[in-house]
Amino acid sequence: EPEVTQTPSHQVTQMGQEVILRCVPISNHLYFYWYRQILGQKVEFLVSFYNNEISEKSEIFDDQFSVERPDGSNFTLKIRSTKLEDSAMYFCASNPPFTDTQYFGPGTRLTVL
Amino acid sequence: AQSVTQLDSHVSVSEGTPVLLRCNYSSSYSPSLFWYVQHPNKGLQLLLKYTSAATLVKGINGFEAEFKKSETSFHLTKPSAHMSDAAEYFCVVNGGTYKYIFGTGTRLKVLA
């Protein structure tokens, strides 16, 4: 069964560094998402992406964040200058056309030191 | 605006006894509601989904949930818990515009 994959599973970085989190959505899916979960808190929506542009973004998704689908298979989340409070589990998700059911990847745990 | 409230952060049951995980929602229209499960170090797996076709929804691994509009509830149940059910469970509402709104999660512990 096709799955959403994410790399790396764990990323450790220094404050102020740029990080890129990578996701490979399921191949026939058209809608892509990033969510994050700070330890002990709920999963929060960051951004949705469709047809090579952002559909919606939350107030968390400020200018430090960007998303890209560089090659038709990968979907990336870039954090330009990481802060301590960016430490969280980041989930990628996708859904096919004509359904709102999202399929999630296993997550990338980002630790900012 | 849509929201979900999971009433219990932790639930413990004995193996073989029923499971009840509670979820209440708030929505200005008829929502899509979901239950997802997250096992340790794994992604979020869809258990079941409500879309208004039937109020009682059957999911994977013997779980089911009943949509009750009058109570704005979507509780998750299973007749008999198994050790492998120990995980975190999330109630989710479709926020209506390509985003999910998650509850805070319920950690289910199954005692031998």
Side-chain angles (χ1 to χ4, degrees), chain B residues 11-17 81-86 108-112:
Chain B
V11 169
S12 290
V13 299
S14 298
E15 191 175 20
T17 65
H82 191 270
M83 295 299 288
S84 61
D85 294 328
L108 176 65
K109 188 173 181 179
V110 182
L111 307 169

Side-chain angles (χ1 to χ4, degrees), chain B residues 48-59:
Chain B
L48 50 80
K49 171 184 177 180
Y50 166 77
T51 56
S52 80
T55 56
L56 184 62
V57 184
K58 293 190 184 300

Side-chain angles (χ1 to χ4, degrees), chain A residues 31 33 35 37 41-45 47-48 50 55-56 89 91 95 99-107, chain B residues 4 32 34 36 38 41-46 49 51 88 90 94 96-105:
Chain A
Y31 298 86
Y33 311 83
Y35 293 82
Q37 184 182 29
Q41 298 184 24
K42 63 163 73 176
V43 178
E44 302 171 288
F45 168 80
V47 67
S48 58
Y50 170 72
S55 305
E56 185 169 354
M89 180 73 90
F91 292 104
N95 69 272
T99 176
D100 59 358
T101 302
Q102 294 179 21
Y103 296 84
F104 286 80
Chain B
V4 288
S32 292
F34 309 79
Y36 281 80
Q38 184 181 27
N41 302 314
K42 299 281 189 185
L44 295 155
Q45 181 186 18
L46 178 68
K49 171 184 177 180
T51 56
E88 183 125 26
F90 293 96
N94 184 340
T97 52
Y98 305 104
K99 67 183 181 189
Y100 275 3
I101 296 169
F102 281 75
T104 49

Side-chain angles (χ1 to χ4, degrees), chain A residues 2-104:
Chain A
E3 291 181 336
V4 177
T5 59
Q6 290 185 242
T7 53
S9 57
H10 192 187
Q11 172 97 45
V12 181
T13 190
Q14 296 291 326
M15 192 168 56
Q17 295 295 305
E18 174 184 288
V19 294
I20 297 176
L21 310 183
R22 301 181 194 280
C23 169
V24 179
I26 297 171
S27 64
N28 65 334
H29 288 193
L30 299 179
Y31 298 86
F32 313 110
Y33 311 83
W34 283 101
Y35 293 82
R36 79 171 185 193
Q37 184 182 29
I38 295 172
L39 190 64
Q41 298 184 24
K42 63 163 73 176
V43 178
E44 302 171 288
F45 168 80
L46 290 178
V47 67
S48 58
F49 191 85
Y50 170 72
N51 200 26
N52 282 319
E53 61 183 29
I54 290 174
S55 305
E56 185 169 354
K57 59 184 181 179
S58 72
E59 59 194 24
I60 302 168
F61 194 88
D62 61 22
D63 292 343
Q64 294 292 343
F65 292 89
S66 62
V67 289
E68 195 178 33
R69 189 155 161 80
D71 56 14
S73 62
N74 288 283
F75 179 52
T76 61
L77 174 70
K78 183 193 288 187
I79 309 175
R80 230 176 305 278
S81 177
T82 49
K83 307 185 189 77
L84 294 176
E85 55 264 37
D86 293 328
S87 294
M89 180 73 90
Y90 288 80
F91 292 104
C92 173
S94 65
N95 69 272
F98 313 119
T99 176
D100 59 358
T101 302
Q102 294 179 21
Y103 296 84
F104 286 80

Side-chain angles (χ1 to χ4, degrees), chain B residues 72-87:
Chain B
T72 61
S73 69
F74 189 58
H75 300 336
L76 182 70
T77 59
K78 183 173 180 177
S80 176
H82 191 270
M83 295 299 288
S84 61
D85 294 328

